[in-house]
Protein backbone atom coordinates (compact mmCIF):
# COMPACT_ATOMS: atom_id res chain seq x y z
CA UNK A 1 0.00 0.00 0.00
CA UNK A 2 1.17 3.51 -0.78
CA UNK A 3 2.18 5.59 2.19
CA UNK A 4 -0.13 8.37 3.21
CA UNK A 5 0.37 11.72 1.51
CA UNK A 6 2.49 10.68 -1.46
CA UNK A 7 3.91 13.51 -3.51
CA UNK A 8 1.97 13.58 -6.81
CA UNK A 9 -1.56 13.01 -5.54
CA UNK A 10 -3.37 16.33 -4.96
CA UNK A 11 -4.80 16.61 -1.45
CA UNK A 12 -8.36 17.91 -1.59
CA UNK A 13 -9.35 20.69 0.78
CA UNK A 14 -12.21 20.14 3.21
CA UNK A 15 -14.76 21.92 1.04
CA UNK A 16 -13.59 20.03 -2.05
CA UNK A 17 -13.89 16.75 -0.16
CA UNK A 18 -17.42 17.60 0.92
CA UNK A 19 -18.53 18.72 -2.54
CA UNK A 20 -16.95 15.67 -4.17
CA UNK A 21 -18.94 13.41 -1.90
CA UNK A 22 -22.13 15.40 -2.40
CA UNK A 23 -21.68 14.79 -6.10
CA UNK A 24 -21.12 11.06 -5.57
CA UNK A 25 -24.26 10.81 -3.46
CA UNK A 26 -26.48 12.72 -5.86
CA UNK A 27 -25.28 10.96 -9.02
CA UNK A 28 -25.59 7.49 -7.58
CA UNK A 29 -28.72 6.10 -9.15
CA UNK A 30 -28.96 2.39 -8.43
CA UNK A 31 -26.11 2.54 -5.93
CA UNK A 32 -23.10 4.81 -5.61
CA UNK A 33 -20.33 2.27 -6.19
CA UNK A 34 -19.57 3.07 -9.84
CA UNK A 35 -19.86 6.85 -9.33
CA UNK A 36 -17.65 6.81 -6.29
CA UNK A 37 -14.82 5.31 -8.31
CA UNK A 38 -15.45 7.65 -11.24
CA UNK A 39 -15.28 10.84 -9.17
CA UNK A 40 -12.43 9.83 -6.83
CA UNK A 41 -10.12 8.08 -9.27
CA UNK A 42 -10.83 9.48 -12.74
CA UNK A 43 -12.26 12.93 -12.27
CA UNK A 44 -10.49 14.30 -9.18
CA UNK A 45 -7.52 11.92 -9.00
CA UNK A 46 -7.56 11.86 -5.20
CA UNK A 47 -6.50 8.23 -5.19
CA UNK A 48 -4.87 5.88 -7.69
CA UNK A 49 -6.88 2.95 -9.03
CA UNK A 50 -4.95 0.54 -6.80
CA UNK A 51 -5.32 2.60 -3.65
CA UNK A 52 -9.01 3.00 -4.31
CA UNK A 53 -9.54 -0.72 -4.90
CA UNK A 54 -7.76 -1.41 -1.64
CA UNK A 55 -9.88 1.03 0.35
CA UNK A 56 -13.07 -0.30 -1.21
CA UNK A 57 -11.99 -3.89 -0.58
CA UNK A 58 -11.50 -3.05 3.08
CA UNK A 59 -14.87 -1.31 3.12
CA UNK A 60 -16.36 -4.50 1.75
CA UNK A 61 -15.00 -6.90 4.33
CA UNK A 62 -15.78 -4.61 7.25
CA UNK A 63 -19.44 -4.71 8.28
CA UNK A 64 -21.71 -1.93 7.09
CA UNK A 65 -22.34 -0.18 3.78
CA UNK A 66 -19.09 -0.38 1.80
CA UNK A 67 -19.10 3.03 0.13
CA UNK A 68 -19.95 4.55 3.52
CA UNK A 69 -16.99 2.75 5.06
CA UNK A 70 -14.81 3.92 2.19
CA UNK A 71 -15.90 7.54 2.77
CA UNK A 72 -14.81 7.26 6.40
CA UNK A 73 -11.40 5.91 5.41
CA UNK A 74 -10.79 8.27 2.50
CA UNK A 75 -11.90 11.28 4.56
CA UNK A 76 -9.58 10.23 7.36
CA UNK A 77 -6.67 9.86 4.98
CA UNK A 78 -6.85 13.53 3.99
CA UNK A 79 -8.19 15.34 7.08
CA UNK A 80 -8.38 12.92 9.99
CA UNK A 81 -11.57 12.71 12.00
CA UNK A 82 -12.93 15.94 10.50
CA UNK A 83 -12.36 14.51 7.03
CA UNK A 84 -14.26 11.33 7.88
CA UNK A 85 -17.22 13.32 9.14
CA UNK A 86 -17.16 15.71 6.18
CA UNK A 87 -16.99 12.96 3.54
CA UNK A 88 -19.69 10.85 5.17
CA UNK A 89 -22.01 13.80 5.67
CA UNK A 90 -21.53 14.80 2.04
CA UNK A 91 -22.35 11.30 0.87
CA UNK A 92 -25.64 11.03 2.74
CA UNK A 93 -27.00 14.56 2.88
CA UNK A 94 -28.31 14.90 -0.70
CA UNK A 95 -29.97 11.47 -0.96
CA UNK A 96 -31.50 11.90 2.49
CA UNK A 97 -33.22 15.16 1.48
CA UNK A 98 -34.54 13.56 -1.71
CA UNK A 99 -35.79 10.50 0.18
CA UNK A 100 -37.65 12.65 2.68
CA UNK A 101 -39.40 14.43 -0.20
CA UNK A 102 -40.14 11.12 -1.94
CA UNK A 103 -41.52 9.57 1.24
CA UNK A 104 -43.89 12.48 1.75
CA UNK A 105 -45.08 12.19 -1.85
CA UNK A 106 -45.46 8.43 -1.50
CA UNK A 107 -47.46 8.89 1.69
CA UNK A 108 -49.76 11.37 -0.09
CA UNK A 109 -50.17 9.60 -3.42
CA UNK A 110 -48.90 6.05 -2.87
CA UNK A 111 -52.36 4.56 -2.40
CA UNK A 112 -53.89 6.20 -5.46
CA UNK A 113 -55.10 3.65 -8.02
CA UNK A 114 -52.60 4.63 -10.73
CA UNK A 115 -49.55 4.56 -8.47
CA UNK A 116 -49.60 0.95 -7.21
CA UNK A 117 -49.18 -0.69 -10.66
CA UNK A 118 -46.48 1.83 -11.52
CA UNK A 119 -44.55 1.06 -8.34
CA UNK A 120 -44.99 -2.68 -8.87
CA UNK A 121 -43.40 -2.36 -12.30
CA UNK A 122 -40.46 -0.43 -10.83
CA UNK A 123 -40.17 -2.98 -8.01
CA UNK A 124 -39.98 -5.88 -10.47
CA UNK A 125 -37.35 -4.04 -12.53
CA UNK A 126 -35.33 -3.08 -9.44
CA UNK A 127 -35.30 -6.72 -8.34
CA UNK A 128 -33.88 -7.77 -11.69
CA UNK A 129 -31.31 -5.02 -11.41
CA UNK A 130 -30.00 -6.49 -8.16
CA UNK A 131 -29.79 -10.01 -9.61
CA UNK A 132 -28.09 -8.73 -12.77
CA UNK A 133 -25.52 -6.78 -10.72
CA UNK A 134 -24.73 -9.87 -8.64
CA UNK A 135 -24.18 -11.98 -11.77
CA UNK A 136 -21.98 -9.28 -13.27
CA UNK A 137 -19.91 -8.97 -10.09
CA UNK A 138 -19.50 -12.73 -9.89
CA UNK A 139 -18.36 -12.81 -13.49
CA UNK A 140 -15.82 -10.01 -13.14
CA UNK A 141 -14.28 -11.53 -10.03
CA UNK A 142 -13.72 -14.93 -11.69
CA UNK A 143 -13.72 -16.94 -8.49
CA UNK A 144 -12.36 -20.51 -8.57
CA UNK A 145 -15.06 -23.25 -8.82
CA UNK A 146 -15.07 -24.17 -5.13
CA UNK A 147 -15.71 -20.54 -4.19
CA UNK A 148 -18.54 -20.32 -6.71
CA UNK A 149 -20.13 -23.17 -4.77
CA UNK A 150 -19.75 -21.15 -1.55
CA UNK A 151 -21.49 -18.24 -3.27
CA UNK A 152 -24.33 -20.47 -4.45
CA UNK A 153 -24.69 -21.87 -0.94
CA UNK A 154 -25.12 -18.29 0.30
CA UNK A 155 -27.86 -17.76 -2.33
CA UNK A 156 -29.64 -20.96 -1.30
CA UNK A 157 -29.32 -20.26 2.42
CA UNK A 158 -30.62 -16.69 2.22
CA UNK A 159 -33.22 -16.90 -0.58
CA UNK A 160 -34.63 -20.43 -0.38
CA UNK A 161 -33.94 -21.81 3.09
CA UNK A 162 -34.38 -18.32 4.62
CA UNK A 163 -31.67 -18.96 7.17
CA UNK A 164 -30.71 -16.05 9.41
CA UNK A 165 -27.72 -14.01 8.23
CA UNK A 166 -25.57 -14.71 11.34
CA UNK A 167 -25.88 -18.44 10.69
CA UNK A 168 -24.94 -18.07 7.03
CA UNK A 169 -21.91 -15.93 7.83
CA UNK A 170 -20.74 -18.12 10.71
CA UNK A 171 -20.91 -21.27 8.59
CA UNK A 172 -19.77 -19.99 5.20
CA UNK A 173 -17.12 -17.42 6.17
CA UNK A 174 -14.67 -19.96 7.65
CA UNK A 175 -15.35 -22.28 4.70
CA UNK A 176 -14.73 -19.53 2.15
CA UNK A 177 -11.56 -18.30 3.86
CA UNK A 178 -10.29 -21.88 4.22
CA UNK A 179 -10.86 -22.62 0.53
CA UNK A 180 -9.21 -19.36 -0.43
CA UNK A 181 -6.25 -20.18 1.82
CA UNK A 182 -5.95 -23.63 0.26
CA UNK A 183 -5.78 -22.01 -3.17
CA UNK A 184 -2.86 -19.87 -2.03
CA UNK A 185 -1.00 -22.89 -0.64
CA UNK A 186 -1.51 -24.78 -3.87
CA UNK A 187 -0.18 -21.87 -5.86
CA UNK A 188 2.82 -21.52 -3.57
CA UNK A 189 3.58 -25.26 -3.72
CA UNK B 1 -47.19 -2.24 21.00
CA UNK B 2 -46.59 1.47 21.54
CA UNK B 3 -44.66 3.67 19.15
CA UNK B 4 -41.68 3.84 21.48
CA UNK B 5 -41.36 0.06 21.53
CA UNK B 6 -41.42 -0.03 17.75
CA UNK B 7 -38.70 2.59 17.57
CA UNK B 8 -36.41 0.61 19.85
CA UNK B 9 -37.10 -2.62 18.00
CA UNK B 10 -36.20 -0.76 14.82
CA UNK B 11 -32.93 0.59 16.22
CA UNK B 12 -31.84 -2.72 17.75
CA UNK B 13 -32.85 -4.61 14.64
CA UNK B 14 -30.83 -2.48 12.25
CA UNK B 15 -27.91 -2.23 14.66
CA UNK B 16 -27.67 -6.01 14.68
CA UNK B 17 -28.02 -6.22 10.93
CA UNK B 18 -25.36 -3.58 10.28
CA UNK B 19 -22.75 -5.36 12.38
CA UNK B 20 -23.27 -8.55 10.40
CA UNK B 21 -23.69 -7.07 6.95
CA UNK B 22 -20.67 -8.25 5.02
CA UNK B 23 -20.59 -6.94 1.48
CA UNK B 24 -22.69 -3.84 1.82
CA UNK B 25 -26.28 -2.78 2.26
CA UNK B 26 -27.97 -4.90 -0.39
CA UNK B 27 -26.41 -8.12 0.86
CA UNK B 28 -28.22 -7.56 4.15
CA UNK B 29 -31.65 -7.23 2.50
CA UNK B 30 -32.74 -10.81 3.28
CA UNK B 31 -32.05 -10.09 6.94
CA UNK B 32 -33.97 -6.81 6.72
CA UNK B 33 -36.83 -8.77 5.15
CA UNK B 34 -36.76 -11.10 8.12
CA UNK B 35 -36.91 -8.16 10.51
CA UNK B 36 -39.54 -6.07 8.73
CA UNK B 37 -41.84 -8.76 7.32
CA UNK B 38 -41.34 -12.04 9.16
CA UNK B 39 -40.41 -11.12 12.74
CA UNK B 40 -42.06 -7.76 13.39
CA UNK B 41 -44.83 -7.90 10.78
CA UNK B 42 -44.39 -4.20 10.02
CA UNK B 43 -45.06 -4.70 6.31
CA UNK B 44 -45.91 -7.38 3.76
CA UNK B 45 -43.77 -8.73 0.91
CA UNK B 46 -45.10 -6.32 -1.67
CA UNK B 47 -44.72 -3.26 0.55
CA UNK B 48 -41.13 -4.34 1.20
CA UNK B 49 -40.36 -4.56 -2.53
CA UNK B 50 -42.09 -1.26 -3.19
CA UNK B 51 -40.08 0.58 -0.55
CA UNK B 52 -36.97 -0.85 -2.08
CA UNK B 53 -38.13 0.32 -5.52
CA UNK B 54 -38.76 3.79 -4.11
CA UNK B 55 -35.19 3.88 -2.80
CA UNK B 56 -33.91 2.80 -6.21
CA UNK B 57 -35.81 5.61 -7.88
CA UNK B 58 -33.75 8.08 -5.84
CA UNK B 59 -29.97 8.55 -6.06
CA UNK B 60 -27.68 7.59 -3.22
CA UNK B 61 -26.11 4.59 -1.51
CA UNK B 62 -28.24 1.44 -1.58
CA UNK B 63 -28.30 1.50 2.20
CA UNK B 64 -30.71 4.47 2.04
CA UNK B 65 -33.51 1.94 1.77
CA UNK B 66 -33.04 1.47 5.52
CA UNK B 67 -34.24 5.04 5.97
CA UNK B 68 -37.42 4.21 4.07
CA UNK B 69 -38.07 1.13 6.19
CA UNK B 70 -37.59 3.32 9.25
CA UNK B 71 -40.00 5.87 7.84
CA UNK B 72 -42.59 3.13 7.29
CA UNK B 73 -42.45 2.20 10.97
CA UNK B 74 -42.08 5.54 12.73
CA UNK B 75 -42.13 8.42 10.24
CA UNK B 76 -39.20 10.80 9.95
CA UNK B 77 -37.91 9.92 13.43
CA UNK B 78 -37.83 6.31 12.35
CA UNK B 79 -35.92 7.26 9.23
CA UNK B 80 -33.12 8.98 11.10
CA UNK B 81 -33.06 6.38 13.88
CA UNK B 82 -32.76 3.50 11.43
CA UNK B 83 -30.09 5.24 9.33
CA UNK B 84 -28.01 6.10 12.39
CA UNK B 85 -28.29 2.57 13.75
CA UNK B 86 -27.28 1.15 10.39
CA UNK B 87 -24.39 3.51 9.59
CA UNK B 88 -23.15 4.99 12.89
CA UNK B 89 -21.49 2.08 14.70
CA UNK B 90 -20.03 0.55 11.52
CA UNK B 91 -18.53 3.93 10.56
CA UNK B 92 -16.85 4.13 13.95
CA UNK B 93 -15.60 0.60 13.42
CA UNK B 94 -14.20 1.50 9.99
CA UNK B 95 -12.46 4.51 11.51
CA UNK B 96 -10.96 2.48 14.33
CA UNK B 97 -9.85 -0.23 11.94
CA UNK B 98 -8.17 2.35 9.74
CA UNK B 99 -6.18 3.67 12.69
CA UNK B 100 -5.06 0.20 13.66
CA UNK B 101 -4.18 -0.71 10.14
CA UNK B 102 -1.33 1.77 10.05
CA UNK B 103 0.72 -0.88 11.86
CA UNK B 104 -0.69 -3.96 10.16
CA UNK B 105 0.77 -4.63 6.78
CA UNK B 106 -0.89 -7.95 6.12
CA UNK B 107 -1.77 -7.24 2.51
CA UNK B 108 -1.55 -10.90 1.46
CA UNK B 109 -3.54 -12.23 4.40
CA UNK B 110 -6.11 -9.56 3.67
CA UNK B 111 -6.40 -10.63 0.06
CA UNK B 112 -6.85 -14.28 0.99
CA UNK B 113 -9.53 -13.33 3.48
CA UNK B 114 -11.25 -11.11 0.96
CA UNK B 115 -11.22 -13.77 -1.74
CA UNK B 116 -12.98 -16.13 0.62
CA UNK B 117 -15.57 -13.58 1.73
CA UNK B 118 -16.49 -11.91 -1.55
CA UNK B 119 -18.40 -14.91 -3.01
CA UNK B 120 -20.59 -14.93 0.10
CA UNK B 121 -21.29 -11.23 -0.30
CA UNK B 122 -22.17 -11.67 -3.99
CA UNK B 123 -24.36 -14.68 -3.18
CA UNK B 124 -26.22 -12.65 -0.57
CA UNK B 125 -26.79 -9.87 -3.07
CA UNK B 126 -28.23 -12.36 -5.57
CA UNK B 127 -30.49 -13.74 -2.84
CA UNK B 128 -31.72 -10.21 -2.12
CA UNK B 129 -32.70 -9.83 -5.74
CA UNK B 130 -34.62 -13.10 -5.69
CA UNK B 131 -36.52 -12.08 -2.55
CA UNK B 132 -37.36 -8.71 -4.09
CA UNK B 133 -38.54 -10.37 -7.31
CA UNK B 134 -40.78 -12.63 -5.28
CA UNK B 135 -42.23 -9.66 -3.44
CA UNK B 136 -42.90 -7.80 -6.69
CA UNK B 137 -44.54 -10.86 -8.26
CA UNK B 138 -47.20 -11.08 -5.56
CA UNK B 139 -48.58 -7.62 -6.18
CA UNK B 140 -52.02 -6.68 -7.34
CA UNK B 141 -51.03 -7.08 -10.99
CA UNK B 142 -50.26 -10.35 -12.75
CA UNK B 143 -47.34 -12.40 -11.47
CA UNK B 144 -46.23 -13.56 -14.96
CA UNK B 145 -45.63 -10.03 -16.21
CA UNK B 146 -43.84 -9.03 -12.99
CA UNK B 147 -41.56 -12.06 -13.30
CA UNK B 148 -40.97 -11.28 -16.98
CA UNK B 149 -39.98 -7.70 -16.08
CA UNK B 150 -37.58 -9.00 -13.42
CA UNK B 151 -35.97 -11.47 -15.84
CA UNK B 152 -35.73 -8.87 -18.59
CA UNK B 153 -34.13 -6.41 -16.21
CA UNK B 154 -31.68 -9.05 -14.96
CA UNK B 155 -30.55 -9.74 -18.53
CA UNK B 156 -30.34 -6.05 -19.39
CA UNK B 157 -28.18 -5.16 -16.39
CA UNK B 158 -26.05 -8.26 -16.78
CA UNK B 159 -25.42 -8.11 -20.51
CA UNK B 160 -25.40 -4.39 -21.34
CA UNK B 161 -23.45 -1.36 -20.24
CA UNK B 162 -26.35 1.07 -20.37
CA UNK B 163 -27.47 2.88 -17.25
CA UNK B 164 -29.82 0.80 -15.05
CA UNK B 165 -32.15 3.81 -15.05
CA UNK B 166 -33.51 2.58 -18.39
CA UNK B 167 -34.78 -0.62 -16.80
CA UNK B 168 -36.46 1.22 -13.95
CA UNK B 169 -38.15 3.50 -16.47
CA UNK B 170 -39.26 0.60 -18.66
CA UNK B 171 -40.55 -1.28 -15.60
CA UNK B 172 -42.55 1.77 -14.52
CA UNK B 173 -44.03 2.15 -18.00
CA UNK B 174 -44.96 -1.53 -18.35
CA UNK B 175 -46.38 -1.60 -14.83
CA UNK B 176 -48.50 1.52 -15.33
CA UNK B 177 -49.79 0.18 -18.65
CA UNK B 178 -50.51 -3.48 -17.95
CA UNK B 179 -50.97 -4.01 -14.20
CA UNK B 180 -54.44 -3.37 -12.87
Amino acid sequence: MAKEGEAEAPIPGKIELFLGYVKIGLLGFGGVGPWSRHVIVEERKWLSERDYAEVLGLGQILPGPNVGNASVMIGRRFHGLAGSLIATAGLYIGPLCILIALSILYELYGTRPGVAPFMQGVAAAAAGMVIGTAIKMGQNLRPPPELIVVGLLAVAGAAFLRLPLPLIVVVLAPLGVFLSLRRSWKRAA
Amino acid sequence: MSDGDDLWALVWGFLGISLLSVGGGVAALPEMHRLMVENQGWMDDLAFSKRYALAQAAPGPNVMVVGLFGWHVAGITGMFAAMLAMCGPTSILAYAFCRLRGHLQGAIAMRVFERGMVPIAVGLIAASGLLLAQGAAFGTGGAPLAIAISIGSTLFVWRSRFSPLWVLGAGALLGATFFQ
Side-chain angles (χ1 to χ4, degrees):
Chain A
M1 185 198 158
K3 290 276 170 294
E4 287 185 334
E6 260 189 326
E8 328 90 59
I11 290 181
K14 287 180 183 170
I15 294 172
E16 259 183 283
L17 188 66
F18 181 75
L19 292 179
Y21 262 100
V22 167
K23 182 171 181 181
I24 292 169
L26 286 178
L27 280 176
F29 282 99
V32 287
W35 289 107
S36 169
R37 188 196 147 276
H38 176 80
V39 169
I40 292 169
V41 178
E42 285 179 17
E43 191 187 283
R44 320 236 157 156
K45 299 187 173 57
W46 292 344
L47 295 179
S48 72
E49 186 82 71
R50 259 200 68 176
D51 280 0
Y52 180 73
E54 199 168 349
V55 170
L56 196 71
L58 280 177
Q60 230 151 20
I61 57 174
L62 289 170
N66 41 33
V67 179
N69 283 342
S71 74
V72 169
M73 294 191 259
I74 291 172
R76 177 178 182 274
R77 188 187 185 106
F78 296 123
H79 294 290
L81 181 59
S84 289
L85 292 173
I86 286 168
T88 308
L91 178 63
Y92 289 116
I93 198 163
L96 211 53
C97 292
I98 292 176
L99 272 190
I100 289 171
L102 270 180
S103 293
I104 292 169
L105 287 175
Y106 186 74
E107 223 114 278
L108 291 176
Y109 302 110
T111 49
R112 290 244 178 133
V115 178
F118 176 86
M119 283 308 289
Q120 195 186 349
V122 181
M129 200 173 121
V130 175
I131 304 172
T133 306
I135 298 176
K136 216 174 188 173
M137 283 170 80
Q139 225 176 15
N140 290 342
L141 289 163
R142 293 174 211 276
E146 70 268 23
L147 283 172
I148 294 179
V149 174
V150 172
L152 291 177
L153 284 176
V155 177
F160 300 114
L161 303 177
R162 301 283 182 100
L163 299 175
L165 184 65
L167 187 65
I168 296 174
V169 173
V170 162
V171 173
L172 290 182
L175 181 66
V177 173
F178 167 74
L179 290 172
S180 165
L181 204 62
R182 212 186 54 157
R183 273 267 144 183
S184 308
W185 288 335
K186 263 193 194 164
R187 201 167 298 162
Chain B
M1 200 185 253
S2 76
D3 287 357
D5 288 346
D6 272 351
L7 200 61
W8 279 113
L10 191 74
V11 167
W12 284 114
F14 279 111
L15 197 69
I17 290 171
S18 80
L19 293 174
L20 278 162
S21 62
V22 188
V26 191
L29 261 177
E31 198 59 21
M32 295 181 199
H33 184 271
R34 174 186 302 280
L35 173 73
M36 300 297 296
V37 180
E38 292 160 44
N39 289 357
Q40 299 285 349
W42 280 322
M43 47 171 44
D44 60 19
D45 259 350
L46 181 64
F48 185 87
S49 291
K50 279 184 182 170
R51 288 284 171 170
Y52 181 76
L54 193 62
Q56 287 302 296
N62 285 321
V63 72
M64 303 300 296
V65 71
V66 168
L68 288 185
F69 292 147
W71 182 292
H72 181 89
V73 175
I76 196 161
T77 323
M79 177 185 249
F80 281 102
M83 280 302 288
L84 266 181
M86 186 75 191
C87 302
T90 53
S91 295
I92 295 170
L93 211 67
Y95 188 83
F97 181 82
C98 222
R99 282 193 66 162
L100 271 176
R101 197 172 170 270
H103 319 285
L104 303 168
Q105 280 296 346
I108 295 169
M110 199 63 83
R111 218 149 288 158
V112 168
F113 183 72
E114 204 185 309
R115 195 175 52 190
M117 294 299 282
V118 163
I120 302 171
V122 174
L124 289 174
I125 293 174
S128 308
L130 291 171
L131 282 180
L132 288 170
Q134 193 194 2
F138 291 111
T140 45
L145 178 61
I147 294 169
I149 293 176
S150 294
I151 292 175
S153 143
T154 301
L155 291 173
F156 184 90
V157 171
W158 175 25
R159 306 299 304 187
S160 83
R161 289 182 166 277
F162 293 107
S163 161
L165 271 185
W166 290 105
V167 210
L168 296 184
L173 209 65
L174 285 170
T177 317
F178 295 110
F179 288 139
Q180 282 310 317

